Amino acid sequence: MRKLQHISVHNFALSNGETTSLGLTYQVFGQALHTAPIVLINHALTGNSNVTGINGWWNDVVGNQNIIDTQKYTILCFNIPGNGFDNKEENLINNYKDFTANDIAKIFEIGLYTLNIDTIHTVIGASLGGGITWHLAVNNPNLFENIVVVASHWKADDWLIANTFIQDNILNNSNRPMEDARTHAMTFYRTATSFNKKFEGQKEAHFYAVENWLQYHGNALKNRFQLSSYKLMNHLLKTIEVAKSNEEFTNKASKIAGHIHLVTINTDGLFLADNNWETYIQLKPKKENVSISEIKSIHGHDAFLIEFEQLSKILKPIFQLSTLKRIGLTKYKQTAS
């Protein structure tokens, strides 16, 4: 695993007007910074910066001779502050409702500015990371050559907000908050067809196989994740909001210079496929370089972590080395060291 690096962010202005200081951690894989085209990866809800290598959560996509090839690219991934990956209790965030997805995007922008990065070949994010990717792209329309949003959307809809509301209630009221919230979440990360095909009504001792599987995932998350981190990440999902309306979104997104690649999942029960197709239809007349692809899967939202062959085929044209435009990052006044 590549060494975890640290940036201190001072007096950051949150969307609610409060200020805070916090630590931003990141990892770099593949080629050294400023020696190759940069790929910025924004992790999902319970993910982290360790995208490849030992315990890497995206090893089938990122790595030597994979689609995002560590021999050709510099891969950069920030940790969402408060996700607990640095194992420092003092860096956990308890006032989670003060933060928004756009705040996280702006903190990442400070990280990029601190690292003297003003051109990025591709930014890619899935789920929560996809929402942050949308905010980054709109905030910095000339920074990215490619914007890849996987299983996500530019605005949390009522269905997503409803699920985060239930999750928040479980996390704050259950006697087993981590386990119960995670078992609930797994039911909308997958699909009924996926469950039925996987378990086929099997029993193991006195329990159904599906019950044991759900309990396993609940216990596994409790053993590797912090309660405050789960509360924060769940809350951030419902704060994804690049624009208030379709018209406002189209106006903002049409100003993004890079190619926007939407990747949806036909059975996604969290970020609905129809929302991405509607985004494509409304944006295409205003922006020529936007495209959409769809992963076909029975596995629902989690297909971005399962259907690697399909995802790799979709991403392949993007990761053919191309001439980078010198386009630039918006400069920030917040102090980082």
Side-chain angles (χ1 to χ4, degrees):
M1 183 175 76
R2 291 295 185 95
K3 183 180 178 182
L4 196 63
Q5 305 288 329
H6 300 261
I7 295 171
S8 295
V9 179
H10 305 288
N11 300 318
F12 176 76
L14 295 167
S15 299
N16 65 0
E18 299 293 325
T19 59
T20 188
S21 296
L22 46 79
L24 175 63
T25 61
Y26 67 94
Q27 286 172 275
V28 176
F29 302 91
Q31 306 308 295
L33 275 174
H34 306 297
T35 66
I38 295 170
V39 178
L40 174 63
I41 298 177
N42 296 322
H43 69 77
L45 190 143
T46 63
N48 51 54
S49 61
N50 194 38
V51 295
T52 189
I54 298 173
N55 297 321
W57 57 267
W58 231 10
N59 277 325
D60 290 289
V61 173
V62 183
N64 185 13
Q65 297 187 336
N66 286 347
I67 289 301
I68 305 178
D69 193 340
T70 49
Q71 297 299 310
K72 296 179 180 178
Y73 295 96
T74 300
I75 291 90
L76 170 65
C77 186
F78 294 111
N79 286 293
I80 296 175
N83 77 343
F85 189 59
D86 61 359
N87 292 314
K88 293 184 178 180
E89 189 173 349
E90 63 269 24
N91 289 335
L92 296 175
I93 293 172
N94 292 311
N95 58 325
Y96 64 98
K97 291 188 177 180
D98 289 339
F99 287 77
T100 68
N102 195 42
D103 290 331
I104 303 303
K106 289 182 177 181
I107 292 167
F108 285 4
E109 290 159 17
I110 293 172
L112 294 172
Y113 179 62
T114 303
L115 296 173
N116 296 312
I117 295 170
D118 62 4
T119 301
I120 293 178
H121 179 281
T122 299
V123 57
I124 179 170
S127 192
L128 173 58
I132 293 168
T133 296
W134 268 123
H135 281 282
L136 279 167
V138 167
N139 291 349
N140 299 275
N142 296 315
L143 175 60
F144 307 104
E145 185 174 344
N146 294 284
I147 300 95
V148 185
V149 181
V150 183
S152 191
H153 197 236
W154 56 267
K155 188 178 190 299
D157 65 7
D158 292 309
W159 174 247
L160 177 61
I161 293 168
N163 278 292
T164 60
F165 176 76
I166 295 169
Q167 287 274 290
D168 191 62
N169 278 334
I170 294 171
L171 290 167
N172 283 291
N173 296 297
S174 173
N175 292 326
R176 302 167 65 251
M178 292 288 285
E179 299 97 316
D180 290 345
R182 186 62 167 177
T183 54
H184 167 249
M186 293 307 296
T187 63
F188 58 78
Y189 291 159
R190 301 294 177 93
T191 66
T193 302
S194 178
F195 273 36
N196 292 336
K197 186 172 182 178
K198 181 179 180 67
F199 300 109
E200 297 181 329
Q202 298 175 59
K203 276 193 171 184
E204 300 171 359
H206 301 293
F207 297 93
Y208 284 100
V210 65
E211 294 173 325
N212 285 333
W213 184 83
L214 287 170
Q215 190 60 58
Y216 165 80
H217 280 280
N219 290 333
L221 187 67
K222 181 186 178 183
N223 291 335
R224 73 173 181 86
F225 215 59
Q226 298 283 345
L227 178 58
S228 64
S229 301
Y230 200 166
K231 290 180 180 180
L232 171 63
M233 303 303 147
N234 175 66
H235 168 75
L236 291 175
L237 279 172
K238 75 174 186 180
T239 68
I240 297 169
E241 188 176 70
V242 163
K244 298 286 187 183
S245 66
N246 289 339
E247 182 179 1
E248 182 188 1
F249 165 76
T250 303
N251 182 53
K252 288 182 175 182
S254 64
K255 295 175 183 177
I256 296 171
H259 192 124
I260 297 173
H261 308 263
L262 304 176
V263 182
T264 190
I265 300 165
N266 67 318
T267 55
D268 197 334
L270 189 62
F271 287 95
L272 305 182
D274 284 352
N275 289 342
N276 281 284
W277 282 102
E278 289 170 7
T279 294
Y280 173 74
I281 290 168
Q282 72 191 45
L283 187 55
K284 186 66 174 178
K286 301 288 186 179
K287 180 176 172 60
E288 183 177 350
N289 57 342
V290 58
S291 60
I292 187 167
S293 302
E294 186 165 272
I295 294 171
K296 304 294 185 183
S297 176
I298 67 168
H299 297 302
H301 183 68
D302 269 1
F304 80 89
L305 295 169
I306 298 171
E307 305 288 359
F308 294 117
E309 185 175 346
Q310 288 189 61
L311 182 58
S312 294
K313 286 180 180 178
I314 290 168
L315 297 179
K316 185 175 181 179
I318 299 169
F319 291 98
Q320 305 294 325
L321 287 175
S322 59
T323 302
L324 287 172
K325 305 177 183 72
R326 303 302 300 178
I327 40 190
L329 171 72
T330 301
K331 303 303 183 184
Y332 282 83
K333 295 181 179 180
Q334 287 97 332
T335 303
S337 61

